[in-house]
Amino acid sequence: MAHPVITPRGRHVSPLTPLNRGCPRKGFVMDGTPLRGYSCITTATKDMWERLFDTGYRADVSINTDNGGVIYAHASILLASPVMKSMLKHSRGRGRGRGQVRRLSISICGVPHQAVRVFIRFLYSSCYEQEEMKKFVLHLLVLSHVFVIPHLKRECEKQLEQGLLTEENVVDIFQLALLCDAPRLSLICHRLILKSFKFVASTEGWKVMKQSHPKLEKELLESVTEADTMKEERTRKLNERKMYLQLYEAMEALVHICRDGCRTIGPHDKVLKGGRAPCNFAACKGLELLVRHFASCKMRVPGGCIHCKRMWQLLELHSRLCAKPDVCRVPLCRNFKERIQQQNKKDEMKWKILVGKILMAKKIAGVPFSSSIGICT
């Protein structure tokens, strides 16, 4: 889409601070009611301004648009735009005879005549038709940016964010948002591009951008690659955290089995009542076969049976988490505590890292540590 050309004389006008015209500020009171932000004007006032625009009564500015179109307006209204104010200042007026209004002339080219008309109408009444907004929203976004009409610019961004932005037009709108200094809109577009990249990359807008702005295409491709890498990293960390939580739950279940006896696996040293509720430790089901195997295996030595080796590792991990080895009912807890002093620094560091990650995963999960384990902190 072509950008509007600001004339007369091809003069470029830098955007200035916009003027707030006809809008009460925060903290104002009207009829005893506090006002927040902008107030809604009455229907009669709105209709009066729209009639003034439609009739062009004593209009002193003619706005030339593409294909010979002309829109008549009033300088006092156009002064709401600091850019138009500068354009009017440098414009040469023409009189049409004695008694006629001296009329200034400016040009807004590069956008459809009807889009300019909707834009000027908004300066009068702050109103628009929804169908016109839907049809000319991109042109209105450009016009509101170029002529520094912030409330119209915000409205265009809002309309795009709430329904007019699609996977089909997101590339065009993204480029426009960058040009028009609309950071929120550009961020929303960027997220949609990343979310639906396969479809977006097949649209006509992407193909045009690829030819006209290869640097922007390269940056988007890099961001897609980065997003995929970050997603994979998040997935990896979530899986790790899940594994550490499972290890912690296994430690809880191990204490439960050895101290209280488990209805799933069987009592430790007591007879369980028939009406006792089912076990609440989900990890007990996973430990059941391992514990039964460990109790009957003839190769219960480290480095022997792979299942027994895993059980030895769980027992050692428990000892490193347990803060009460003297009263702990888990087998070999105290023995492993004594062996810690004899391990080399490399193995000791590995265990400390594992314990730290387990405690961190439990902390991130937001679940309090079980008092039944007696966790070291």
Side-chain angles (χ1 to χ4, degrees):
M1 183 185 70
H3 300 292
V5 179
I6 308 173
T7 54
R9 302 178 187 174
R11 182 186 179 94
H12 174 75
V13 183
S14 300
L16 303 176
T17 304
L19 301 176
N20 292 324
R21 177 181 55 81
C23 298
R25 297 179 181 176
K26 291 182 179 180
F28 277 34
V29 176
M30 182 177 290
D31 298 330
T33 304
L35 299 177
R36 296 182 178 179
Y38 295 101
S39 66
C40 297
I41 61 175
T42 64
T43 302
T45 304
K46 180 198 72 173
D47 292 343
M48 179 190 72
W49 285 109
E50 292 206 338
R51 281 198 304 271
L52 182 63
F53 170 64
D54 291 335
T55 60
Y57 177 71
R58 296 188 69 80
D60 52 0
V61 179
S62 61
I63 303 172
N64 303 311
T65 63
D66 286 350
N67 300 321
V70 179
I71 299 172
Y72 297 105
H74 300 80
S76 57
I77 301 297
L78 301 184
L79 291 178
S81 164
V83 177
M84 285 192 176
K85 180 179 179 181
S86 180
M87 292 171 65
L88 292 171
K89 181 178 179 181
H90 295 87
S91 176
R92 293 182 178 179
R94 296 180 180 178
R96 292 192 174 181
R98 188 174 181 180
Q100 295 292 323
V101 176
R102 181 178 178 270
R103 184 169 291 158
L104 302 175
S105 178
I106 60 176
S107 297
I108 302 178
C109 303
V111 293
H113 169 84
Q114 189 60 27
V116 180
R117 184 172 181 82
V118 174
F119 172 69
I120 300 300
R121 176 195 176 191
F122 188 88
L123 296 181
Y124 276 77
S125 62
S126 295
C127 297
Y128 58 85
E129 300 295 335
Q130 186 60 39
E131 285 302 316
E132 292 177 333
M133 173 61 74
K134 184 176 180 180
K135 184 176 181 180
F136 301 115
V137 61
L138 299 185
H139 300 96
L140 293 174
L141 177 62
V142 173
L143 290 169
S144 63
H145 173 72
V146 170
F147 292 105
V148 196
I149 307 297
H151 50 301
L152 176 57
K153 185 176 180 179
R154 287 193 295 269
E155 186 63 26
C156 292
E157 293 176 12
K158 177 182 175 182
Q159 292 293 323
L160 287 166
E161 293 171 11
Q162 295 182 354
L164 298 182
L165 177 64
T166 65
E167 294 175 349
E168 191 70 37
N169 63 18
V170 65
V171 175
D172 294 331
I173 296 175
F174 177 62
Q175 295 177 84
L176 202 59
L178 294 175
L179 292 172
C180 294
D181 190 24
R184 174 182 167 83
L185 180 59
S186 63
L187 177 61
I188 292 174
C189 291
H190 188 259
R191 287 177 177 174
L192 182 57
I193 291 173
L194 297 182
K195 180 181 178 182
S196 308
F197 178 71
K198 289 185 178 180
F199 178 85
V200 172
S202 65
T203 61
E204 190 64 28
W206 182 275
K207 295 175 184 177
V208 173
M209 180 195 66
K210 186 176 182 179
Q211 296 295 326
S212 58
H213 298 93
K215 185 177 179 181
L216 180 59
E217 184 211 16
K218 181 181 178 181
E219 291 176 356
L220 284 173
L221 290 174
E222 289 175 351
S223 65
V224 170
T225 303
E226 182 180 355
D228 290 341
T229 302
M230 291 177 63
K231 184 178 179 180
E232 292 175 359
E233 182 66 15
R234 284 196 301 269
T235 302
R236 184 186 65 80
K237 289 184 177 180
L238 286 174
N239 290 335
E240 281 188 358
R241 190 179 303 164
K242 183 179 179 181
M243 179 188 68
Y244 296 137
L245 283 174
Q246 289 174 343
L247 284 173
Y248 183 86
E249 291 167 359
M251 296 300 99
E252 286 186 314
L254 189 61
V255 172
H256 159 67
I257 292 168
C258 298
R259 186 186 65 185
D260 305 322
C262 176
R263 190 171 184 80
T264 301
I265 297 177
H268 171 58
D269 56 1
K270 62 183 72 174
V271 178
L272 298 179
K273 296 180 180 180
R276 185 168 175 175
C279 178
N280 294 323
F281 289 83
C284 283
K285 295 179 181 179
L287 283 174
E288 179 179 6
L289 293 177
L290 191 61
V291 171
R292 290 185 185 279
H293 171 84
F294 186 73
S296 60
C297 182
K298 304 302 181 181
M299 298 176 59
R300 282 189 304 170
V301 291
C305 173
I306 186 172
H307 300 294
C308 291
K309 183 178 179 181
R310 185 181 178 192
M311 190 65 198
W312 280 106
Q313 290 172 339
L314 290 176
L315 291 172
E316 182 169 358
L317 177 60
H318 162 79
S319 72
R320 291 177 176 275
L321 289 167
C322 182
K324 302 176 182 178
D326 294 333
V327 295
C328 182
R329 303 294 296 274
V330 177
L332 305 175
C333 179
R334 187 173 179 179
N335 296 55
F336 277 113
K337 283 285 188 183
E338 294 174 355
R339 284 180 53 190
I340 291 175
Q341 305 298 328
Q342 303 173 6
Q343 284 186 330
N344 59 56
K345 292 184 178 181
K346 184 177 181 181
D347 291 338
E348 180 66 16
M349 183 59 65
K350 288 181 179 179
W351 279 107
K352 283 186 177 181
I353 292 174
L354 176 60
V355 170
K357 288 184 176 180
I358 291 173
L359 296 178
M360 180 59 68
K362 193 64 176 177
K363 183 177 180 180
I364 293 174
V367 180
F369 292 109
S370 173
S371 59
S372 65
I373 298 182
I375 293 293
C376 293
T377 56

